């Protein structure tokens, strides 16, 4: 095994930076989140926005959980396609990462609200490990 001089052997994986989500432009233009989901069902940002809207409208937490769960799973697919290996930073500071982080935070909140304590704790830890700055979402 050869080691590159000056390499940080204790460093973790590099941060994952997701590409711009095309849903961002549609949402910014005023298109309803439900319509954006219909047009771009693989968009983590669209699902996270739909979950946030359901929460703000005081829709049942089970619905918020379902929307957030879809956003979370769409995020995992996107993260993997962009080099993420199941761990490592996904910084809030990189705006295209926010759909994932928002969906994960809502999933933690909704899991807690429906009594799924282990899932709520796992998601909250995952959020903090991915981006300490996103902890404010909880």
């Amino acid at each position: 095994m050869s080691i590159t001089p000056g390499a940080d052997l204790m460093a973790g994986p590099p941060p994952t930076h997701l590409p711009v989500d095309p849903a961002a432009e549609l949402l910014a233009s005023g298109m309803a989140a439900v319509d954006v989901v219909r047009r771009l069902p693989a968009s983590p940002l669209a699902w996270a926005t739909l979950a946030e809207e359901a929460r703000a409208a005081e829709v049942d937490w089970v619905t918020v959980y379902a929307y957030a769960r879809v956003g979370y799973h769409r995020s995992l697919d996107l993260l993997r396609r962009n080099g993420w290996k199941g761990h490592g930073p996904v910084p809030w500071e990189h705006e295209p990462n926010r759909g994932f982080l928002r969906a994960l935070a809502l999933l933690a909140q909704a899991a807690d609200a429906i009594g799924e304590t282990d899932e709520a704790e796992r998601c909250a830890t995952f959020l903090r490990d991915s981006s300490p700055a996103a902890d404010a979402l909880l």
Side-chain angles (χ1 to χ4, degrees):
M1 175 175 149
S2 91
I3 298 175
T4 304
D8 183 352
L9 299 178
M10 299 303 287
T16 299
H17 294 112
L18 294 175
V20 172
D21 190 326
E25 186 176 337
L26 296 175
L27 291 164
S29 76
M31 183 180 280
V34 70
D35 293 329
V36 177
V37 164
R38 286 184 182 114
R39 186 178 287 183
L40 299 169
S43 166
L45 178 60
W47 285 103
T49 302
L50 195 58
E52 289 169 343
E53 288 178 359
R55 181 173 178 233
E58 298 183 2
V59 173
D60 184 88
W61 275 105
V62 172
T63 301
V64 176
Y65 180 94
Y67 292 156
R69 167 91 37 212
V70 174
Y72 166 75
H73 280 285
R74 295 300 188 151
S75 297
L76 293 179
D77 295 341
L78 187 59
L79 285 163
R80 288 182 189 112
R81 284 193 309 269
N82 284 278
W84 185 75
K85 304 293 186 209
H87 65 284
V90 184
W92 172 262
E93 294 77 12
H94 181 68
E95 191 165 336
N97 290 347
R98 293 181 184 178
F100 158 63
L101 297 166
R102 288 166 47 192
L104 183 57
L106 282 160
L107 184 56
Q109 293 168 13
D112 185 57
I114 66 172
E116 195 178 0
T117 307
D118 290 345
E119 179 72 352
E121 291 172 5
R122 184 189 69 78
C123 290
T125 299
F126 187 12
L127 182 69
R128 289 183 192 104
D129 290 348
S130 295
S131 178
D135 187 47
L137 298 172
L138 293 175

